[in-house]
Amino acid sequence: MTSTTLAAPRQRRRFRIGHIMVYVVMILITVLWITPTIGLLVSSFRPADDVKTSGWWTVVTNPENARFTLNNYRIVLGIPLPDRPVTSGTRVGMEVALINTLTVALPATIIPILIAAFAAYGFAWIDFPGRRPLFILVVAMLVVPLQISLVPILRDYVALGLGGTYLGVWLAHTGFGLPLAVYLLYNYISTIPRDIFESAFLDGATHFTIFTRLILPLSMPALASFAIFQFLWTWNDLLVALVFLGAEPRVQVVTQRLLSLLGQFGQEWHLLTSGAFISMIVPLIVFFSLQRFFVRGLMAGSVKG
């Protein structure tokens, strides 16, 4: 029996062991990641007294004493309870906050994508003076913390009358998201074969025609990938909304309303569990709708050929 024949079963065993180890690690990571979410979900259906006096795992360890209720969700959504009528002072109004957040998140996602796509195409395929230094300057803005620019921008907004308006928040999110968007889209657009552009130019197409009819359809993976990042960031943002929108209830977004759920001295913190799950519905829909583009967009530009 040759050494090659003896080595083959040994290699197969190592291959199987490697696969098993990968699955074990993946299962461990999944359990560690999903356990807090399960705890949050269970706590959102428990009465306030149970949440404050015992951990969520007691539902599993002591199921005969477990109690569940929908009152937390009713309070968050502003539905009156027999023992707790909803008034203007106690109404949470999460449905209004959801609409406000959509009003902020959708334009703050679409606007930077369009601007960054134009810029990435120009940096990748249009030859103009100073192209490389400008691109380096745009990408270098990724290292600038947004916190240091909040006060100067707020002063300008107050002078221009944009404070407390959705337009101000849209412009802020657009400015903060553009460097990453340009970088990601440039990596993808620059890998598109040059032959496509040469054929289009021979047919008399302009740069705008090429961009709208070729670049945008071909760049859908990268566009969807950044859209997920930008939408989740704007949806979960608290700092920018707090600075530029203010704390007026009629314009509050979900994160601001979740903060107000704490109540005085944090006595109503148990309502955060149900409020958090309500706020997670839209991001989950967006992520699972675009997740097939996610990996393709992240891998854009990593391999050429």
Side-chain angles (χ1 to χ4, degrees), residues 21-54:
M21 291 299 297
V22 169
Y23 285 123
V24 169
V25 172
M26 290 176 60
I27 291 172
L28 288 176
I29 294 175
T30 303
V31 171
L32 290 175
W33 184 267
I34 203 173
T35 298
T37 306
I38 294 174
L40 193 69
L41 177 62
V42 173
S43 298
S44 68
F45 289 102
R46 301 181 71 205
D49 294 337
D50 293 356
V51 173
K52 294 177 181 179
T53 57
S54 62

Side-chain angles (χ1 to χ4, degrees), residues 19-271:
H19 266 260
I20 293 173
M21 291 299 297
V22 169
Y23 285 123
V24 169
V25 172
M26 290 176 60
I27 291 172
L28 288 176
I29 294 175
T30 303
V31 171
L32 290 175
W33 184 267
I34 203 173
T35 298
T37 306
I38 294 174
L40 193 69
L41 177 62
V42 173
S43 298
S44 68
F45 289 102
R46 301 181 71 205
D49 294 337
D50 293 356
V51 173
K52 294 177 181 179
T53 57
S54 62
W56 65 268
W57 53 86
T58 57
V59 173
V60 180
T61 60
N62 194 15
E64 61 274 6
N65 294 326
R67 296 187 300 168
F68 297 98
T69 180
L70 293 175
N71 287 348
N72 294 338
Y73 286 94
R74 290 170 180 165
I75 295 172
V76 169
L77 293 174
I79 301 175
L81 301 179
D83 58 341
R84 184 174 177 174
V86 175
T87 63
S88 59
T90 60
R91 177 176 174 80
V92 174
M94 183 61 72
E95 71 285 356
V96 177
L98 288 171
I99 296 174
N100 292 340
T101 309
L102 282 174
T103 305
V104 170
L106 290 179
T109 301
I110 296 173
I111 294 173
I113 286 179
L114 292 178
I115 297 176
F118 275 107
Y121 172 73
F123 284 129
W125 295 107
I126 299 178
D127 190 13
F128 58 90
R131 179 178 65 172
R132 187 172 183 83
L134 283 176
F135 178 73
I136 294 174
L137 179 63
V138 170
V139 176
M141 298 301 293
L142 286 170
V143 304
V144 179
L146 68 90
Q147 290 83 358
I148 67 174
S149 61
L150 293 179
V151 173
I153 293 176
L154 182 60
R155 288 178 178 176
D156 293 338
Y157 277 9
V158 172
L160 296 172
L162 294 176
T165 64
Y166 289 123
L167 177 59
V169 180
W170 297 341
L171 294 177
H173 280 303
T174 298
F176 296 143
L178 272 178
L180 177 61
V182 172
Y183 179 70
L184 287 178
L185 295 180
Y186 171 83
N187 285 344
Y188 192 92
I189 292 175
S190 62
T191 61
I192 296 176
R194 182 180 293 272
D195 296 343
I196 297 178
F197 300 96
E198 294 176 351
S199 300
F201 282 128
L202 288 176
D203 292 337
T206 63
H207 281 295
F208 183 79
T209 303
I210 293 174
F211 176 79
T212 54
R213 297 190 179 183
L214 292 178
I215 298 300
L216 288 182
L218 292 175
S219 302
M220 279 304 299
L223 294 174
S225 178
F226 175 74
I228 293 175
F229 277 121
Q230 183 72 2
F231 184 85
L232 293 181
W233 177 43
T234 54
W235 183 273
N236 295 321
D237 170 71
L238 174 62
L239 180 61
V240 174
L242 199 59
V243 172
F244 297 120
L245 272 184
E248 190 175 347
R250 66 180 181 84
V251 296
Q252 281 186 341
V253 296
V254 166
T255 50
Q256 291 176 284
R257 195 54 56 90
L258 287 176
L259 184 63
S260 67
L261 290 180
L262 288 171
Q264 190 176 18
F265 307 116
Q267 295 175 353
E268 302 289 336
W269 65 268
H270 65 281
L271 296 177

